[in-house]
């Protein structure tokens, strides 16, 4: 009997909150009608976006209440209301999430009063179930109905507040537009870096090489020794130019990824980082040049993104964190790849701080992956990346 009463009391609290929210929705419908009239008269056009934002807060409160009762989250899918007034009005009117909130609010005007049923159910339940369960030891009949009413309220709210397929599509389009812009920006920055490296490094050395060969040709007849020295310098210049070209190529797609796979390439990074790095690999195999494939591997773009995330994270750890130790974990997931890099440094890493985190984030977002940085002041810094792929 005690458990029955406790569950009924919890359901009553849930329904009481629903009644309070329904009362506010009744008041808010009046505010909404006033706003609509004002918008049509142009005078109150600026109120509409703010009214929609208030409705979103009310719907958010109901989502949280339903999640607390049922244990199932109701996702949100809204377009951001920002920019000039004309843009905010257009977004507020066209957002499918706003339409869903309006439908819920008007429906809630009716079924939000279900909570009032708790009062007669308590009066009848304490008498009937007190005798039926408390004295006769039978299963309670009336008080559990209060929980069922709360379940009904949660089910209807879930059906009305969950994003429609159109809202999810709009949200997905916005997300893809943002990640596409980030990918284009990252691609442009990468092209500028390659152009700068070629112009300032390799091209300058090739020009110097050409000049030395030309001087050697002129000096060959009259001063063979000077010509030989110029040719030696030209050979050194050619070797340095080749080294810089390899560096540029390595920045585009490291050859070690092709030769040894992601696990082997990351181990090579760890060995050359200057830190005490522990590498843990789950579900991936090291590959060596000339070896036969010994299992599936992620697509080249995913391998490259994971490799550059690890490389940039370890570089940041060396330059900025003051850490002596770090760890790298690569894990194969059923539908993707997880990369986790942790350093025991001072922390405080921020994407806006110019430490390469923004570039990593854009590279991961371009592949529809997730990028999470946890870096409290005092450390540790943890970078967790998940990249979707088919094995």
């Amino acid at each position: 009997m005690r458990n029955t009463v406790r569950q009924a009391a919890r359901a009553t609290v849930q329904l009481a909150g629903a009644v309070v929210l329904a009362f506010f929705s009744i008041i808010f419908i009046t505010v909404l009608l006033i706003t609509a009239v004002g918008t049509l008269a142009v005078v109150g056009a600026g109120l509409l976006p703010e009214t929609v934002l208030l409705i979103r807060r009310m719907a958010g409160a109901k989502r949280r209440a339903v999640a607390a009762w049922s244990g199932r989250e109701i996702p949100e899918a809204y377009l951001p209301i920002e920019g000039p007034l004309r843009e905010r009005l257009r977004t507020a009117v066209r957002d499918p999430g706003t339409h869903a909130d309006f439908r819920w609010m008007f429906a809630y005007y009716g079924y939000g009063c279900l909570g009032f049923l708790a009062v007669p159910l308590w009066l009848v339940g304490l008498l009937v179930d007190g005798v039926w369960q408390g004295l006769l030891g039978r299963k309670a009949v009336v008080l559990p109905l209060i929980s069922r009413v709360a379940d009904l309220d949660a089910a209807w709210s879930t059906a009305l507040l969950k994003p429609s397929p159109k809202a999810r599509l709009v949200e997905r389009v916005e997300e893809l537009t943002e990640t596409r812009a980030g990918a284009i920006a990252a691609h442009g920055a990468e092209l500028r870096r390659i152009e700068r490296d070629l112009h300032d490094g390799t091209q300058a050395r090739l020009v110097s090489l050409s000049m030395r060969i030309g001087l050697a040709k002129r000096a060959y007849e009259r001063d063979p020794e000077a010509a030989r020295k110029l040719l030696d310098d030209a050979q050194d210049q050619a070797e340095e130019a080749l080294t810089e070209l390899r560096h540029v190529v390595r920045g585009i797609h490291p050859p070690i990824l092709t030769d040894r796979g992601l696990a082997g390439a990351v181990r090579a990074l760890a060995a050359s980082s200057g830190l005490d790095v522990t590498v843990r690999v789950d579900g991936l195999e090291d590959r060596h040049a000339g070896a036969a494939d010994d299992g599936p591997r992620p697509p080249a773009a995913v391998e490259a993104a994971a490799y550059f995330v690890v490389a940039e994270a370890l570089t940041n750890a060396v330059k900025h964190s003051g850490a002596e130790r770090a760890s790298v974990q690569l894990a194969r997931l059923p539908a993707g790849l997880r990369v986790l890099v942790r350093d025991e440094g001072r922390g405080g890493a921020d994407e806006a701080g110019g430490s390469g985190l923004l570039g990593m984030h854009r590279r991961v977002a371009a592949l529809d992956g997730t990028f999470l940085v946890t870096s409290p002041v005092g450390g540790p810094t943890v970078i967790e990346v998940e990249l979707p792929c088919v094995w």
Side-chain angles (χ1 to χ4, degrees), residues 175-188:
E175 180 183 346
L176 290 177
T177 301
E178 182 179 351
T179 57
R180 178 177 178 269
I184 291 174
H187 180 66

Side-chain angles (χ1 to χ4, degrees), residues 172 175-176 179 362-370 386-388:
R172 183 61 174 160
E175 180 183 346
L176 290 177
T179 57
R362 284 176 171 173
R363 187 184 289 271
V364 171
L367 297 176
D368 206 21
T370 59
E386 288 193 10
L387 297 164

